[in-house]
Amino acid sequence: LGTATRLYTEEDPLVILSSSSLKPSVINSSSAWLVQFFSSWCGHCIQYSSTWKALAQDVKDWQQVVSVAVLDCAQEENFDICKEFSIKFYPTFRYFRAHSAETDRGTPYRGADREIQSVRQLMVNILQNHTKLDRPDHCPPLEPYSSVELLPLLGQKSDHYTAIIIEEPNSYVGREVILDLLQYSGVEVKRALSSDLPLLDALKITTFPSVYLLHPNTTHTHLHVQKRLRFFFSSLLRTLPGVQRRLKLGSSSSTSEDQMGALSDKQSTEPWRDFDRSKVYAADLESALHYLLRVELATHNTLEGEELKIFKDFVTLVAKLYPGGGSVVKLMETLSDWLLSLPLPLIPYQAVLDLVDNKMRISGVFLGAELRWVGCQGSRAGLRGYPCSLWTLFHVLTVQHDATPTALENTGLEGEAAPVLQVMRRYIRTFFGCEECGRHFEQAAAVSMEKVQNREDQILWLWNQHNMVNYRLAGSLSDDPLFPKAPWPSPSLCSSCHEEKNGVHVWNNDNVLFFLRQHYGASNMSPKYSL
Ligand code: FAD
């Protein structure tokens, strides 16, 4: 049972079914289902679980029309249901059409190829295998449109974009992009075929797949993509102005979202500050420290023992690695010297605050007397702000540590393989106001942080972990519609970071590292709005 619970967990982007939930879920459902019946003692199932999870992640946004699930036949409570469904070998793949009958025991998939691309194409075929009458309730049309239907749309006013993907008949890209955009409003995706000559003539299309975009205001143009890959098409369409992800209702992670809300401030009453997404703003980092010192720490009346040590390490880290010198570094250095010089085992929080205030008053060293979010502005109160700036701060610190490898000498932190991550881990666990976030981060750290052996891995580990959180939170209540959570950097920020291997999106880690060093490097930090 131990292995069984670990093979798939509630954190995975798929549905874990059991004897009691299998039939109510898959029978007469509004969506189709693809279920893997596995056994937690079968070695092949254990090996295959990472592919199945990656598949589920890849098609997470299709869930409303086709869901990916697992059922563990090795669990005692599932013995009977696996028998009833005649599961003899593991893994067994069965799919259930939408609105299936009570007696349906699923259609087996016996394809030898169980790689992500093949199974994903099977899912498209399953959807197309429905009639107009029984297809999943929210399934958009997947059949190609003809020039006769499409050409009259040109020049028409609309309340949304229409993206026409023109592709070879055997290509799945169009259907995959249609399904990738299922959770988004403001854009409708249709496909057409390269054999439709009048359409190619009218739109002047010569390469496939291509996307032709009809804007709401009647203009129409080719959509320029750096690479003709599903991920690039989907990412670009998702970030068109006005295109928004629909929020999940009753999201399970609402606890942490509520807590994230509690970390908010009066930002919505502030005037909007224009900013460039390809820059990092010093004002965000200053606001992070301001919030951390004045709000987050204030909930601890005294600092002692382990907490005090963690706080000292955090201050040292920022003093040594914060880029560009300036007021922040001066203040953090003073704070660090003072903390190290105190022989006391316990410090009242008020003393820290007094020092910060006095220092600022006497020497004109500013941390900013207020919160000024720039790159971390939210479209309304409760969104973005502090947690956004904390991620940003730690990304900057990992990159600075890489750029100035000797900066931590004689601080007591130089012996750690990944000092920035270790200090971040301890800070988040001990002080970060969003408890649930801290728990998730701690889980991830326990699994793989020890493996980080050098400064480059440190940068990449944090980037990857941040993306894991982005994947998990996409579409949740804490997702700002103006800044939807998505794999980062987007193709428009870094196209060379993205590739496709066997039909599956992959990162080019070397190019990601190069990009992160540039993006979070000292020379990309903008002083705009900073004091
Ligand atoms: P953020 O995710 O905060 O990102 C800030 C900026 O960093 C982005 O605007 C982008 O410019 C850049 N960025 C985005 N992705 C990456 C990346 N992969 N690598 C480098 N830079 C990137 N909220 C929850 O609801 N549940 C949680 O479990 C949770 N865990 C968290 C754990 C930690 C350690 C932290 C600091 C925050 C956590 N949060 C959690 C908050 C959540 O991750 C976001 O910070 C918050 O919702 C604000 O989102 P945002 O849109 O401002 O973007």
Side-chain angles (χ1 to χ4, degrees):
L1 199 91
T3 330
T5 45
R6 261 182 275 121
L7 209 45
Y8 295 98
T9 72
E10 300 299 335
E11 305 278 303
D12 295 321
L14 43 71
V15 181
I16 300 177
L17 294 172
S18 65
S19 60
S20 55
S21 60
L22 175 66
K23 283 200 233 167
S25 301
V26 304
I27 301 296
N28 196 20
S29 164
S30 63
S31 71
W33 285 78
L34 179 59
V35 184
Q36 185 202 157
F37 294 86
F38 73 103
S39 161
S40 47
W41 51 254
C42 126
H44 178 70
C45 301
I46 296 170
Q47 273 171 25
Y48 186 69
S49 63
S50 59
T51 306
W52 197 249
K53 286 179 200 189
L55 165 79
Q57 181 61 56
D58 192 60
V59 297
K60 195 175 159 200
D61 281 349
W62 305 9
Q63 212 170 15
Q64 219 181 3
V65 293
V66 51
S67 297
V68 176
V70 285
L71 190 144
D72 185 0
C73 291
Q75 285 202 5
E76 198 166 345
E77 60 145 345
N78 294 335
F79 287 173
D80 288 345
I81 196 87
C82 290
K83 199 165 155 227
E84 186 184 334
F85 277 67
S86 314
I87 309 298
K88 299 197 181 74
F89 306 103
Y90 312 112
T92 287
F93 301 85
R94 296 263 176 94
Y95 65 84
F96 298 81
R97 296 150 56 94
H99 308 291
S100 60
E102 185 65 33
T103 51
D104 191 3
R105 293 295 169 262
T107 310
Y109 169 63
R110 295 206 181 87
D113 183 352
R114 294 166 179 174
E115 293 309 312
I116 297 176
Q117 186 175 22
S118 309
V119 180
R120 197 175 65 215
Q121 295 181 353
L122 164 78
M123 292 170 77
V124 172
N125 295 342
I126 294 170
L127 290 173
Q128 285 200 287
N129 205 358
H130 287 76
T131 65
K132 267 209 173 100
L133 290 177
D134 71 353
R135 78 167 181 221
D137 296 1
H138 300 282
C139 191
L142 297 171
E143 298 305 324
Y145 282 80
S146 75
S147 47
V148 178
E149 296 162 295
L150 294 173
L151 290 177
L153 300 179
L154 265 63
Q156 266 189 28
K157 248 189 152 66
S158 167
D159 60 354
H160 59 266
Y161 289 91
T162 300
I164 304 171
I165 303 191
I166 303 110
E167 60 181 345
E168 311 266 7
N170 59 357
S171 159
Y172 277 82
V173 171
R175 286 167 282 182
E176 290 170 349
V177 174
I178 293 174
L179 294 167
D180 285 346
L181 270 295
L182 195 65
Q183 302 293 330
Y184 289 75
S185 63
V187 59
E188 197 179 333
V189 189
K190 299 178 192 286
R191 61 188 281 258
L193 298 184
S194 57
S195 50
D196 192 332
L197 299 180
L199 188 71
L200 306 193
D201 264 2
L203 305 183
K204 304 200 171 32
I205 307 271
T206 48
T207 14
F208 310 104
S210 274
V211 176
Y212 200 83
L213 192 63
L214 315 187
H215 294 248
N217 67 1
T218 74
T219 56
H220 44 93
T221 47
H222 287 263
L223 184 73
H224 176 73
V225 282
Q226 287 103 334
K227 297 182 190 175
R228 294 172 188 278
L229 301 176
R230 166 193 170 203
F231 186 82
F232 280 65
F233 292 128
S234 296
S235 297
L236 269 172
L237 295 177
R238 282 169 178 168
T239 48
L240 288 171
V243 171
Q244 287 195 3
R245 184 184 262 280
R246 299 188 181 106
L247 292 181
K248 275 183 221 156
L249 293 172
S251 160
S252 62
S253 49
S254 56
T255 346
S256 49
E257 277 133 23
D258 293 348
Q259 292 186 25
M260 294 315 314
L263 298 184
S264 72
D265 55 90
K266 55 181 173 55
Q267 66 208 46
S268 66
T269 56
E270 306 250 319
W272 186 258
R273 301 181 180 96
D274 282 329
F275 73 99
D276 175 351
R277 289 188 196 213
S278 66
K279 294 253 168 250
V280 171
Y281 287 84
D284 286 321
L285 303 185
E286 289 160 12
S287 300
L289 293 169
H290 176 100
Y291 188 98
L292 185 148
L293 290 171
R294 290 173 182 282
V295 184
E296 193 146 82
L297 224 57
T299 58
H300 297 248
N301 288 331
T302 54
L303 296 172
E304 65 181 310
E306 186 61 13
E307 279 187 2
L308 182 57
K309 163 100 179 65
I310 292 167
F311 179 59
K312 276 183 190 168
D313 284 348
F314 173 79
V315 173
T316 308
L317 192 78
V318 179
K320 297 287 178 191
L321 293 179
Y322 194 90
S327 321
V328 171
V329 171
K330 273 192 218 133
L331 177 66
M332 297 309 268
E333 275 172 352
T334 313
L335 190 53
S336 169
D337 290 348
W338 176 73
L339 285 168
L340 294 173
S341 68
L342 281 183
L344 305 174
L346 179 150
I347 300 181
Y349 164 71
Q350 192 55 42
V352 176
L353 195 62
D354 287 347
L355 181 99
V356 172
D357 283 345
N358 278 335
K359 186 72 202 162
M360 278 166 57
R361 200 162 26 100
I362 297 164
S363 63
V365 170
F366 287 116
L367 187 54
E370 56 178 28
L371 298 166
R372 269 164 293 109
W373 308 120
V374 183
C376 284
Q377 279 169 109
S379 62
R380 62 173 170 78
L383 295 174
R384 313 198 72 222
Y386 180 57
C388 166
S389 65
L390 202 59
W391 278 120
T392 311
L393 176 66
F394 281 108
H395 288 300
V396 166
L397 297 180
T398 59
V399 168
Q400 260 332 91
H401 183 231
D402 181 55
T404 53
T406 53
L408 295 182
E409 266 172 19
N410 304 319
T411 61
L413 293 169
E414 68 276 15
E416 306 213 41
V420 179
L421 297 184
Q422 296 296 353
V423 171
M424 175 175 182
R425 175 180 185 176
R426 298 196 281 263
Y427 183 86
I428 295 288
R429 184 169 60 199
T430 316
F431 294 106
F432 192 40
C434 169
E435 220 178 319
E436 179 109 343
C437 306
R439 197 177 51 76
H440 282 134
F441 193 73
E442 183 53 35
Q443 270 174 6
V447 172
S448 57
M449 201 182 267
E450 301 298 330
K451 294 184 195 134
V452 176
Q453 286 306 324
N454 56 47
R455 296 186 302 275
E456 297 181 350
D457 287 353
Q458 182 173 240
I459 299 176
L460 286 171
W461 188 92
L462 194 60
W463 158 75
N464 181 54
Q465 184 47 41
H466 192 172
N467 266 342
M468 294 298 139
V469 177
N470 293 341
Y471 282 126
R472 184 154 45 79
L473 295 182
S476 68
L477 293 175
S478 67
D479 210 2
D480 189 327
L482 267 190
F483 303 91
K485 301 256 185 326
W488 189 96
S490 64
S492 38
L493 279 178
C494 176
S495 71
S496 67
C497 292
H498 301 270
E499 287 174 1
E500 201 174 87
K501 205 172 157 196
N502 301 325
V504 181
H505 171 263
V506 288
W507 295 97
N508 178 319
N509 276 7
D510 290 344
N511 292 345
V512 169
L513 183 62
F514 185 85
F515 174 81
L516 290 169
R517 281 178 168 143
Q518 180 277 325
H519 183 83
Y520 286 113
S523 58
N524 196 39
M525 205 149 106
S526 167
K528 202 175 169 192
Y529 307 108
S530 153
L531 280 182

